Amino acid sequence: MLAALAILIPLLIGLLLLYRNRKPGEDPQESGKLLRFNRLVFLTILLAWLGSAGYFRATTGQSVDRGWWPILSVFSGLLLTSAILLLAALIRNFLFKR
């Protein structure tokens, strides 16, 4: 429970930072760049989840602890999502906030 909380709090902070400064009346060209950036972040998160699932299935899925690979994969995916969202929020605020 504490591990899940320690992973989900940075995830929520990252989501808050990523979508905090959305304005409805933005420049269309700027919002198009922002949309592409958000899609790239989502694709990066998806690839990180697939990579962590593949890694834990290849390593833990072949050992005596094979029942734990999905759980380890989900926890590592949540941790990677938190890290990617925090990094993306910092990059987005640096690039798109002028």
Side-chain angles (χ1 to χ4, degrees), residues 37-50 84:
F37 179 77
N38 288 342
R39 287 180 180 167
L40 179 67
V41 169
F42 178 74
L43 180 66
T44 305
I45 290 171
L46 183 65
L47 290 175
W49 274 80
L50 290 174
I84 291 169

Side-chain angles (χ1 to χ4, degrees), residues 50-64 66 69-70 73:
L50 290 174
S52 72
Y55 173 76
F56 281 110
R57 180 166 177 137
T59 56
T60 312
Q62 309 302 325
S63 69
V64 258
R66 67 179 143 270
W69 80 264
S73 175

Side-chain angles (χ1 to χ4, degrees), residues 75-93:
F75 277 138
S76 68
L78 287 172
L79 183 66
L80 288 171
T81 301
S82 298
I84 291 169
L85 280 176
L86 285 172
L87 184 64
L90 292 174
I91 291 172
R92 180 181 165 196
N93 285 338

Side-chain angles (χ1 to χ4, degrees), residues 3 8 13 15 21-22 25-26 28 34 38 40-41 76 87 98:
L8 288 175
I13 291 171
L15 283 172
N21 294 327
R22 296 190 73 161
E26 289 181 353
L34 194 59
N38 288 342
L40 179 67
V41 169
S76 68
L87 184 64
R98 293 183 180 154

